[in-house]
């Protein structure tokens, strides 16, 4: 016997009694509106038939039960004046350690999408996907005059842990495929599934036998109409396909020869093609109706790449991003392939996302982190310019209609997943973090413990805002540090020995993150800026300058990100300068010039002089004809200074003359002069008088 949720009280009635009126989202920017409370699950669907989708969401409450709300766009703001508190009947014999579970489904009835609430009571503590459930209830959500009404949809008594909606027979009304685990073989859960159809008054099993699969969960639902549901592949390659031609259930089970124990999943499907991801790459499998599956293509990639498929027919694109964890050798690129897995090209991450990947190093400790900060990778709901689209690394990727693809930079979608398009002309995008299930599938087992503590944020943003690139660098102010000239891609910084602070201004509700050693440091932004302390390593030497590099990311409430890349030096050595003085010949002015340490200020005889970007400086001072000391003071940006003295001499600075050469030249010159001026010794020359060769006596008288 099924038990439907009991409507305890209409929240709008309570608000009216309190005089509170409707709840409205309020933000500084109308293009981004945050919804209050912790969102567990959400869908977008046109509840009132006016052609614009509302946002329907489940909210966690302090006590038992859930709050169901509908939000619609009015006068430029998203408002909620219809809500319902939902309580669950635990039955007469609930499971031990029971917890309440609820999820939302989109269900198509006669071509019109409707919202469905599914609730159950489950058993906690049995691990992901195990444990009993009871008291399953399904209700269609309808827009009442003053509240949300829940119309029961009677359901057979089944133990259900998973639900999917899909139009298996092509009649424009979805069937409901429900599954539960019945055991485990070789560490693989065995599932039993049933197809249910809506007959206008209740859900009844389709004319088919139960489906038993060697793979515990529904792996994929094929795109297109009529659709198909796939289970597998199991470890030994078992695949199961469920269809309902002519309203009769059909189950096909085959084995895909993989040649090894398989450990992957189906990432995308059409009625006869499957894209399968494994530890050794991706495979395209062709499985004709009534035939056997065969591998049509295999591309080796990194272990378990992230995979998304968009488009159909010749416009099908298969996107792979290597590695589900942060890469160790740089940001991941996206490979774009066609339906045959032929490589069409690669796409690099957007600028705003590069900083996020720089922070998400493989060696970081994420244990204490309270929010998801990984960039979203997957399809974007709805069409952009008439074409399907996917988001990958802050890039929008679309088929170009000519067998190729286009890509452009958009918002980075960090930690936020698209829920659906909403509002007039589908001009808004609902985004959430923390809900599980939603759309066309629902999981009905306890998963709350797998959420980070701060999960549950929910925003609605204009599609134009989300298709615009990120804001670049965040608004930041350095405290006790000096910004140096840079190339624009990074901020060069000179910091004091014991560190500095960075003050970040961002939208309220944003998250600021950085890394300290091997852990993440976070700050939530409220109405005032937040400050981050940037400190040198604990074991940094005291007598050496310490270079550093630091990334700081700001994640807006809608997942748009901006990053600040700091690169610089913690200055732990005294300022320094090389200085010299020169005086022109016969001049009475001297030039003092030199080069100081980075960002230092220089004063000559107490007068500040200009210093260029390279630290060079020059100044003129008076130079008397006697030696005079000139005081040169160098001060770094953090107040430490050194002083030195240089001597100048005016008119003729004999100190700078080459005295060795001068003295040597003087000695040589003096020697030459003496040599030339001093007569040498000569032999006597006889003089003959009288001509006979005899010396005559000369009378002195």
């Amino acid at each position: 016997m099924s038990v439907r949720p009991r409507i305890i009280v209409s929240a709008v009635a309570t608000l009216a009694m309190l005089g509170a009126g409707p709840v409205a989202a309020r933000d500084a920017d109308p293009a981004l509106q945050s919804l209050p409370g912790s969102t567990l699950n959400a869908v977008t669907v046109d509840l009132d038939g006016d052609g614009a989708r509302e946002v329907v969401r489940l909210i966690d409450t302090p006590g038992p039960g859930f709050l169901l709300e509908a939000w619609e766009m009015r006068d430029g703001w998203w408002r909620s004046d219809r809500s319902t508190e939902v309580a669950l009947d635990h039955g007469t014999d609930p499971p031990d350690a029971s917890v309440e579970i609820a999820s939302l489904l989109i269900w198509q009835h006669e071509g019109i999408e409707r919202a469905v609430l599914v609730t159950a009571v489950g058993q906690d503590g049995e691990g992901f996907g195990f444990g009993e459930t009871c008291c399953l209830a399904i209700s269609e959500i309808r827009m009442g005059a003053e509240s949300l009404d829940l119309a029961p949809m009677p359901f057979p008594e089944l133990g259900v842990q998973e639900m999917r909606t899909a139009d298996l027979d092509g009649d424009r009304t979805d069937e409901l495929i429900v599954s539960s685990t019945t055991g485990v073989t070789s560490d693989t859960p065995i599932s039993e599934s049933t197809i249910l159809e809506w007959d206008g008054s209740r859900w009844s099993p389709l004319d088919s036998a139960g489906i038993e699969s060697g793979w515990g969960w529904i792996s994929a639902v094929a795109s297109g109409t009529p659709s198909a549901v796939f289970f597998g592949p199991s470890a030994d390659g078992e695949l199961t396909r469920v269809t309902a031609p002519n309203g009769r259930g059909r189950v096909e089970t085959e084995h895909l020869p993989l040649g090894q124990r398989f450990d992957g999943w189906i990432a995308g499907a059409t009625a006869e093609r499957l894209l399968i991801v494994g530890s050794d790459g991706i495979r395209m499998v062709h499985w004709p109706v009534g035939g056997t599956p065969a591998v049509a293509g295999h591309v080796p990639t990194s272990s378990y790449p992230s995979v998304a498929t968009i488009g159909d027919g010749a416009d099908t694109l298969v996107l792979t991003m290597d590695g589900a964890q942060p890469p160790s050798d740089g940001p991941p690129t996206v490979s774009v392939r066609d339906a045959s897995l032929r490589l069409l090209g690669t796409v690099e991450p957007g600028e705003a996302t590069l900083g996020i990947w720089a922070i998400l190093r493989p060696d970081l400790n994420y244990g204490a982190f309270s929010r998801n900060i990984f960039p979203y990778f997957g399809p974007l709901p709805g069409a952009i310019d008439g074409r399907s689209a996917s988001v990958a690394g802050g890039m929008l990727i679309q088929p170009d209609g000519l067998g190729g693809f286009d890509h452009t930079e958009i918002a980075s979608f960090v930690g936020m997943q698209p829920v659906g398009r909403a509002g007039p002309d589908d001009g808004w995008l609902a985004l959430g973090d923390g809900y599980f299930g939603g759309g066309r599938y629902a999981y009905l087992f306890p998963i709350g413990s797998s959420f980070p503590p701060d999960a549950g944020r929910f925003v609605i943003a204009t599609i134009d805002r989300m298709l615009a690139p990120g804001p670049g660098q965040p608004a930041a102010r350095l405290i006790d540090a000096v910004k140096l000239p840079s190339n624009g891609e990074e901020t060069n910084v000179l910091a004091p020995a014991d560190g500095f602070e960075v003050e970040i201004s961002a939208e309220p509700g944003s998250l600021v993150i950085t890394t300290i050693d091997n852990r993440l440091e976070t700050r939530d932004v409220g109405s005032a800026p937040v400050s981050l302390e940037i400190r040198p390593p604990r074991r940094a030497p005291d007598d050496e300058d310490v270079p550093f590099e630091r990334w700081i990311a700001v994640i807006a409430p809608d997942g748009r990100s901006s990053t600040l890349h700091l690169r610089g030096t913690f200055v732990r050595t005294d300022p320094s300068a090389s200085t010299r003085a020169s005086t022109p010949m016969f001049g009475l002015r001297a030039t003092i010039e030199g080069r100081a340490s980075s960002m230092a200020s220089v004063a000559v005889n107490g007068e500040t002089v200009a210093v260029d970007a390279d630290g060079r400086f020059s100044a003129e001072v008076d130079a008397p004809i006697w030696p005079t000391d000139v005081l040169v003071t160098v001060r770094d940006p953090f107040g430490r200074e050194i002083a030195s003295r240089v001597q100048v001499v005016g008119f003729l600075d004999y100190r700078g003359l080459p005295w060795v050469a001068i003295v040597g030249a003087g000695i040589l010159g003096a020697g030459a002069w003496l040599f030339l001026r001093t007569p040498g010794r000569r032999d006597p020359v006889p003089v003959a008088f009288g001509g006979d060769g005899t010396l005559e006596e000369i009378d002195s008288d």
Side-chain angles (χ1 to χ4, degrees):
M1 172 179 173
S2 65
V3 181
R4 70 182 181 89
R6 290 180 287 114
I7 302 174
I8 302 300
V9 64
S10 171
V12 67
T14 304
L15 291 171
M17 287 188 293
L18 296 176
V23 179
R26 289 291 179 183
D27 290 87
D29 183 1
L32 170 64
Q33 300 182 37
S34 301
L35 273 57
S38 178
T39 303
L40 300 175
N41 193 245
V43 295
T44 60
V45 64
D46 183 7
L47 284 180
D48 55 10
D50 65 353
R53 290 185 175 93
E54 285 77 37
V55 174
V56 182
R57 67 171 185 153
L58 279 169
I59 303 176
D60 197 10
T61 58
F66 306 94
L67 180 63
L68 181 66
E69 290 183 335
W71 290 73
E72 59 183 329
M73 164 61 66
R74 291 203 309 270
D75 301 324
W77 294 99
W78 285 89
R79 302 173 183 271
S80 176
D81 54 10
R82 292 178 178 86
S83 58
T84 295
E85 289 186 11
V86 178
L88 282 68
D89 191 329
H90 288 223
T92 58
D93 187 22
D96 294 335
S98 60
V99 293
E100 296 181 332
I101 306 166
S103 188
L104 297 171
L105 275 172
I106 292 178
W107 171 62
Q108 179 182 248
H109 181 246
E110 297 179 352
I112 299 174
E113 288 185 343
R114 302 176 185 269
V116 172
L117 171 66
V118 183
T119 61
V121 176
Q123 184 179 13
D124 199 6
E126 293 292 335
F128 186 86
F130 296 91
E132 300 176 8
T133 59
C134 80
C135 315
L136 179 70
I138 302 179
S139 304
E140 182 184 345
I141 304 170
R142 296 176 179 174
M143 186 82 84
E146 295 183 347
S147 66
L148 292 178
D149 297 332
L150 297 178
M153 304 178 76
F155 189 85
E157 188 172 350
L158 294 170
V160 177
Q161 294 166 334
E162 180 185 19
M163 287 187 175
R164 299 266 180 153
T165 58
D167 184 3
L168 298 179
D169 55 9
D171 64 352
R172 302 178 69 223
T173 294
D174 288 343
E175 282 68 45
L176 189 63
I177 304 96
V178 298
S179 300
S180 63
T181 56
T182 58
V184 177
T185 301
S186 301
D187 298 327
T188 300
I190 305 300
S191 72
E192 189 174 89
S193 303
T194 303
I195 303 174
L196 303 171
E197 63 177 348
W198 179 252
D199 64 6
S201 60
R202 64 175 53 249
W203 290 102
S204 303
L206 198 65
D207 182 16
S208 67
I211 307 159
E212 186 170 296
S213 170
W215 177 259
W217 312 113
I218 299 171
S219 297
V221 175
S223 59
T225 301
S227 185
V229 175
F230 293 90
F231 297 80
S234 63
D236 60 356
E238 180 184 289
L239 287 170
T240 299
R241 175 171 54 198
V242 180
T243 54
N246 303 316
R248 298 180 60 85
R250 175 186 177 125
V251 180
E252 300 172 86
T253 299
E254 298 287 345
H255 280 79
L256 180 67
L258 297 173
Q260 60 183 12
R261 180 179 173 84
F262 191 74
D263 53 355
W265 66 89
I266 300 174
T270 62
E272 296 188 347
R273 286 187 176 271
L274 303 174
L275 180 65
I276 298 180
V277 179
S279 60
D280 61 344
I282 57 175
R283 291 175 172 84
M284 186 65 73
V285 175
H286 182 218
W287 187 6
V289 174
T292 57
V295 176
H298 175 221
V299 176
T301 64
S302 67
S303 181
Y304 306 114
S306 300
V307 179
T309 59
I310 55 172
D312 53 26
D315 286 335
T316 298
L317 296 180
V318 177
L319 314 180
T320 60
M321 185 171 68
D322 289 347
Q325 297 298 320
S328 58
D329 56 351
T333 59
V334 176
S335 298
V336 184
R337 303 177 184 274
D338 62 13
S340 64
L341 300 186
R342 179 175 62 93
L343 182 65
L344 301 178
T346 59
V347 178
E348 298 290 333
E351 288 294 329
T353 313
L354 287 175
I356 296 295
W357 286 118
I359 290 175
L360 297 177
R361 303 193 315 265
D363 61 338
L364 279 181
N365 177 15
Y366 296 93
F369 195 59
S370 62
R371 280 169 59 171
N372 170 25
I373 60 169
F374 285 87
Y376 171 69
F377 176 88
L380 190 67
I384 304 298
D385 297 330
R387 296 177 290 165
S388 58
S390 184
V391 178
M395 302 295 290
L396 185 75
I397 302 175
Q398 297 180 272
D400 62 5
L402 302 173
F405 68 95
D406 295 326
H407 64 280
T408 184
E409 185 174 0
I410 59 170
S412 44
F413 286 79
V414 175
M416 298 297 284
Q417 302 182 23
V419 173
R421 302 282 282 274
D425 302 319
D426 276 348
W428 296 75
L429 185 64
L431 302 112
D433 170 31
Y435 64 90
F436 196 90
R440 294 188 173 273
Y441 61 95
Y443 295 110
L444 300 175
F445 39 75
I447 55 153
S449 60
S450 66
F451 287 153
D454 293 339
R457 295 172 296 120
F458 198 89
V459 301
I460 310 175
T462 63
I463 191 68
D464 290 340
R465 174 185 168 95
M466 300 309 297
L467 293 182
Q473 288 191 352
R477 183 171 71 94
L478 303 180
I479 301 175
D480 297 330
V482 178
K483 184 177 179 180
L484 303 177
S486 65
N487 57 10
E489 297 179 358
E490 60 187 32
T491 299
N492 295 328
V493 175
L494 205 63
D498 56 352
F500 63 102
E501 292 185 14
V502 181
E503 186 180 85
I504 302 290
S505 299
E507 296 173 280
S510 297
L511 181 71
V512 180
I513 62 174
T514 188
T515 52
I516 296 179
D517 298 327
N518 67 335
R519 63 184 175 85
L520 286 170
E521 182 80 7
T522 67
R523 295 287 188 278
D524 291 305
V525 180
S527 58
V530 299
S531 293
L532 291 174
E533 293 184 347
I534 310 297
R535 303 299 181 199
R538 296 174 183 173
R539 299 181 180 179
D542 293 331
D543 55 353
E544 295 180 14
D545 291 345
V546 179
F548 72 90
E549 183 179 20
R550 186 67 56 86
W551 290 84
I552 299 174
V554 177
I555 304 172
D558 57 359
R560 289 162 57 87
S561 67
S562 57
T563 54
L564 178 66
H565 185 194
L566 299 176
R567 189 191 297 271
T569 304
F570 292 110
V571 179
R572 296 196 153 195
T573 57
D574 292 333
S576 61
S578 58
T579 308
R580 67 186 183 90
S582 61
T583 307
M585 188 73 73
F586 310 127
L588 295 177
R589 298 279 289 174
T591 299
I592 309 297
E593 57 187 354
R595 187 169 185 174
S597 49
S598 181
M599 292 300 294
S601 60
V602 177
V604 176
N605 279 344
E607 297 291 333
T608 301
V609 300
V611 182
D612 68 14
D614 295 325
R616 296 185 178 88
F617 64 90
S618 178
E620 289 190 353
V621 297
D622 292 333
I625 60 174
W626 54 85
T628 303
D629 286 339
V630 176
L631 180 64
V632 179
T633 304
V634 180
R635 179 191 293 265
D636 69 15
F638 316 114
R640 299 178 304 172
E641 67 179 30
I642 61 169
S644 61
R645 296 179 182 275
V646 293
Q647 273 193 346
V648 297
V649 178
F651 191 74
L652 180 62
D653 189 355
Y654 56 83
R655 300 168 307 155
L657 297 177
W659 287 111
V660 173
I662 291 174
V663 171
I667 292 173
L668 291 175
W673 183 82
L674 290 173
F675 177 79
L676 295 175
R677 297 291 298 172
T678 302
R681 185 179 65 85
R682 300 177 183 175
D683 293 334
V685 179
V687 179
F689 293 95
D692 59 358
T694 303
L695 296 174
E696 280 82 11
E697 184 178 354
I698 300 175
D699 189 354
S700 60
D701 295 333

